[in-house]
């Protein structure tokens, strides 16, 4: 099943259920890739889907990207340089996530190179999720960022 996010998570699961009813059409190795900003929910969903599909040999993974620069939002960030600088300063790798960063992970999951990867939520955020709020603020102060201009924190 290839669908867009606008098709919705539920529609993708319904399509998967239809495919499972026609068992002769199920390949031995398939990756289901979903995006969800709510990591707690997506991890529970992936574990449940993996449990349901385990006997069929279907690999189930998710990609959880950070705020991503893409053609649709470039003008917004170009007009809000302070916000772009804030994100870039906060992210340990020093830049915002680009659509290609996310696509590279998806390409990997769809390739044979990931044939032994299943049940994973792969976070593509340049290391941001590794930082606690305290460490994040300390790092930003150390880098000389005046937090007052970004509002009350």
């Amino acid at each position: 099943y290839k669908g867009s996010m606008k098709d919705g998570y539920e529609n993708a699961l319904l399509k998967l259920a239809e495919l499972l009813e026609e068992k002769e059409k199920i390949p031995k190795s398939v990756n289901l890739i979903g995006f969800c900003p709510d990591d707690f929910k997506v991890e529970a969903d992936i574990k449940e889907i993996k449990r349901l599909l385990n006997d069929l040999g279907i690999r189930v993974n998710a990609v959880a990207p950070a705020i991503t620069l893409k053609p649709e939002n470039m003008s917004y960030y170009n007009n809000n340089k302070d916000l772009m600088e804030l994100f870039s300063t906060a992210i340990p790798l020093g830049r915002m996530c680009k659509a290609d960063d996310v696509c590279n992970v998806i390409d990997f999951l769809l390739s044979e190179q990931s044939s032994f990867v299943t049940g994973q939520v792969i976070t593509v955020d340049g290391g941001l999720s590794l930082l606690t709020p305290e460490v994040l603020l300390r790092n930003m102060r150390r880098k000389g960022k005046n937090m007052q201009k970004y509002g009350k924190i």
Side-chain angles (χ1 to χ4, degrees), residues 38-143:
D38 181 354
D39 289 340
F40 297 108
K41 181 174 177 0
V42 76
E43 286 190 36
D45 291 341
I46 290 298
K47 285 180 181 170
E48 179 62 13
I49 294 168
K50 178 64 186 144
R51 187 188 66 75
L52 293 170
L53 302 179
N54 199 39
D55 293 339
L56 297 173
I58 297 176
R59 295 183 295 124
V60 180
N61 295 294
V63 176
I67 296 172
T68 304
L69 289 175
K70 50 193 177 223
E72 304 89 77
N73 66 14
M74 279 304 295
S75 64
Y76 174 79
Y77 286 109
N78 285 334
N79 292 329
N80 292 283
K81 296 284 188 190
D82 284 347
L83 184 59
M84 193 176 207
E85 181 184 345
L86 175 66
F87 286 139
S88 296
T89 300
I91 296 169
L93 290 182
R95 64 175 177 83
M96 287 182 68
C97 181
K98 296 182 282 190
D100 283 347
D101 297 322
V102 178
C103 290
N104 289 337
V105 173
I106 293 170
D107 286 344
F108 165 72
L109 289 173
L110 293 174
S111 75
E112 283 302 311
Q113 293 175 322
S114 71
S115 64
F116 204 63
V117 178
T118 190
Q120 301 302 306
V121 177
I122 300 175
T123 303
V124 183
D125 69 357
L128 186 60
S129 59
L130 299 173
L131 304 178
T132 63
E134 295 81 11
V135 170
L136 180 61
L137 286 171
R138 190 176 336 120
N139 288 349
M140 296 199 51
R141 286 190 185 117
R142 191 178 306 136
K143 291 178 183 178

